[in-house]
Amino acid sequence: MSSTSTTSSTDTRSQWGSRIGFILASAGSAVGLGAIWKFPYMAGTNGGSVFLLPYIFFTLTIGLTLLIGEMCMGRATRAGAAKAFQQWGGNKVGWIGILSVLTGYLVLAFYSVVGGWTVYYMIQAFLGHGIINDPAQMRGAFDAFASSGTLPVLAHLTFLAVTAVVVLLGVEKGIEWVAKFLMPLLFIMMIILIVRGLTLPGAMEGVKFLFKPDWSAFNGESLLNAMGFAFFSLSVGSGSQMNYGSYLSKKVNVVTSTTWIVFLAIMASILGGLMIMPAVFAFGLSPDGGPGLTFATMPAVFAQLPFGHVFAVIFYVCLFVAALTSSISIFEMSVQSLCDQFKWSRPFSVLLCGTSLAILGVICALSFGPWHDVTFFGLDFFSLLDYFTSNIGMPIGVFGLAIVVGWLAWPMARTQLNLVVEQPEWLLKGFRVIAGGVAPFLIIVVMLKGLGVF
């Protein structure tokens, strides 16, 4: 199928009102909780700088290449992943697009529970509660809240409702407007916390941990984790970025715009590390605290700071904003898929997606409490969705994307890359080598590691 026929399929489809709106919304999808919550503990448990440097390298090479390819597919087909894979790859790979949409949908089912946690902690911070001096007590308080049943369910429903309202307003009046406001706010608040953290005695040890390479800590495990996080941090393979690309004007240079998105995603992760690590080192806490590093240690840090409640409010607003920008992109992708596939109205699609996600999210929230004994293949429902999406759904989606862009539809991908500005031949050749050769091999390696093969 020619690129001409794919780009003209839906002339009435919504479009971004501005290039900066597209960049900020897409960067928001990529940033999410990963930059503030996941990157610090991943860096902390993988040697700091020896994790950061490979992460930046993989993001600027494989990650950037695949994200450009995803945006090209979305813009060319004017469709989400389900139809885009069908049009560019044919019947043999069309199912991968459906899997990508399903993967993103299931991610939001449990991600909205984590988003609900940010709602709860943000409200607690505004009320002046929830700041405990002892990290062990804070961990206990978090566990008590997460397992309580009612509170995490209400928090999940609140977070999902806010997401649904933004998506209901549409691309330009809802998603783009929110992104233009929230993303600059997120970076400003992160910088405020970083400046405060760097003034603490001993904070520079945290900076050294992040930026001064300690090659004795380098190992293959850190390298593979950095590669996996590079894919995760850009939301590649879940269908949400391809859907955002489908709203992109033909006049926008995909290469430069996507490079800005990747740059902002990297900067957000670095800022997230600088926001957490200096404070962790300043107060003698362990950087390898795992997933609980953010929720279980930062409140203890705020308790020891002048105006700690103010900084706690800023911090939890950051978490909420980061979670919301990602959830909006996934919810929008699910809604638009229903609109594309069944020609349903946006309000009805929002209602259907919101209701079904609310039910699945309630089950995920209760898996920490009353239903924690209910397991599937030895995993509770929250962990089951996390395992499937992280280790099966997203890797298959990314692998399929690489094969389609690098091989099955390379002529169409090349046309999209050259649509606004003629790209140099070396860049096009490098793009294809990475997309069609390097990326599939490394994705298989990461997937096998995630499945526990080695």
Side-chain angles (χ1 to χ4, degrees):
M1 182 175 292
S2 69
S3 58
T4 302
S5 60
T6 56
T7 50
S8 60
S9 60
T10 312
D11 294 331
T12 58
R13 192 177 185 84
S14 300
Q15 286 195 0
W16 300 107
S18 64
R19 178 171 174 263
I20 187 64
F22 159 70
I23 291 173
L24 290 177
S26 300
S29 173
V31 170
L33 282 175
I36 301 176
W37 167 63
K38 190 167 187 176
F39 175 79
Y41 86 75
M42 288 291 289
T45 55
N46 287 279
S49 60
V50 295
F51 173 84
L52 172 64
L53 296 178
Y55 154 68
I56 293 175
F57 172 77
F58 287 127
T59 303
L60 288 176
T61 52
I62 303 172
L64 175 60
T65 299
L66 295 180
L67 187 57
I68 290 174
E70 193 161 352
M71 293 297 184
C72 286
M73 281 184 68
R75 181 170 70 172
T77 59
R78 283 284 183 263
K83 284 192 173 183
F85 270 91
Q86 178 72 34
Q87 291 186 31
W88 267 33
N91 294 330
K92 291 183 179 180
V93 297
W95 63 272
I96 297 179
I98 297 174
L99 178 63
S100 294
V101 174
L102 176 64
T103 297
Y105 172 84
L106 293 178
V107 165
L108 188 53
F110 68 85
Y111 188 85
S112 63
V113 175
V114 181
W117 297 346
T118 70
V119 171
Y120 172 80
Y121 274 88
M122 182 175 65
I123 293 173
Q124 290 295 305
F126 273 110
L127 295 175
H129 303 152
I131 298 180
I132 301 173
N133 192 48
D134 183 1
Q137 291 182 15
M138 193 64 211
R139 182 71 195 206
F142 170 74
D143 290 340
F145 155 69
S147 62
S148 64
T150 303
L151 283 177
V153 165
L154 291 175
H156 146 67
L157 294 175
T158 301
F159 180 81
L160 193 62
V162 174
T163 304
V165 169
V166 175
V167 172
L168 182 62
L169 292 173
V171 174
E172 189 171 349
K173 294 182 180 179
I175 300 170
E176 185 171 349
W177 185 89
V178 168
K180 285 182 177 179
F181 173 73
L182 291 185
M183 285 305 293
L185 178 65
L186 174 62
F187 280 99
I188 290 170
M189 290 189 296
M190 292 175 77
I191 290 171
I192 291 173
L193 291 172
I194 289 169
V195 171
R196 181 63 186 94
L198 291 176
T199 63
L200 298 172
M204 293 310 295
E205 291 302 314
V207 178
K208 291 179 182 178
F209 178 76
L210 281 175
F211 296 106
K212 186 177 180 180
D214 177 13
W215 298 114
S216 64
F218 180 80
N219 55 55
E221 182 81 5
S222 297
L223 190 67
L224 288 175
N225 286 336
M227 194 189 314
F229 186 73
F231 297 140
F232 172 87
S233 67
L234 295 178
S235 296
V236 178
S238 66
S240 58
Q241 297 285 29
M242 190 176 298
N243 188 63
Y244 273 6
S246 72
Y247 304 139
L248 197 58
S249 166
K250 298 176 184 178
K251 298 178 181 179
V252 173
N253 188 325
V254 171
V255 175
T256 56
S257 296
T258 307
T259 301
W260 272 108
I261 294 168
V262 170
F263 171 75
L264 290 175
I266 292 174
M267 285 304 301
S269 292
I270 292 175
L271 291 177
L274 285 173
M275 189 169 67
I276 305 296
M277 283 304 167
V280 167
F281 275 80
F283 289 104
L285 302 173
S286 174
D288 60 351
L293 182 67
T294 297
F295 280 104
T297 61
M298 289 308 292
V301 173
F302 298 137
Q304 301 177 59
L305 291 176
F307 305 104
H309 288 296
V310 175
F311 290 108
V313 168
I314 296 174
F315 177 73
Y316 287 119
V317 171
C318 278
L319 280 180
F320 172 74
V321 170
L324 184 63
T325 53
S326 275
S327 68
I328 287 171
S329 70
I330 302 174
F331 199 110
E332 168 64 20
M333 179 267 300
S334 302
V335 166
Q336 190 61 56
S337 294
L338 293 180
C339 295
D340 289 343
Q341 203 70 28
F342 304 105
K343 308 303 178 184
W344 291 339
S345 68
R346 175 173 284 266
F348 179 75
S349 299
V350 168
L351 178 63
L352 185 62
C353 280
T355 302
S356 57
L357 284 168
I359 294 171
L360 289 175
V362 167
I363 299 173
C364 288
L366 293 177
S367 67
F368 286 91
W371 293 354
H372 72 279
D373 290 330
V374 179
T375 60
F376 305 86
F377 308 104
L379 299 172
D380 61 66
F381 195 67
F382 184 103
S383 301
L384 178 69
L385 294 188
D386 186 13
Y387 182 87
F388 171 79
T389 55
S390 299
N391 298 306
I392 299 175
M394 291 186 73
I396 291 177
V398 179
F399 181 84
L401 172 68
I403 296 301
V404 169
V405 172
W407 293 100
L408 300 180
W410 169 242
M412 289 183 279
R414 184 186 177 98
T415 298
Q416 283 295 311
L417 292 170
N418 289 323
L419 195 61
V420 178
V421 177
E422 191 77 20
Q423 303 296 336
E425 193 61 30
W426 65 265
L427 188 147
L428 295 172
K429 288 182 179 179
F431 180 95
R432 192 179 186 190
V433 167
I434 294 175
V438 178
F441 170 75
L442 294 179
I443 292 165
I444 290 175
V445 172
V446 172
M447 184 176 181
L448 292 177
K449 177 185 177 295
L451 294 173
V453 176
F454 59 88

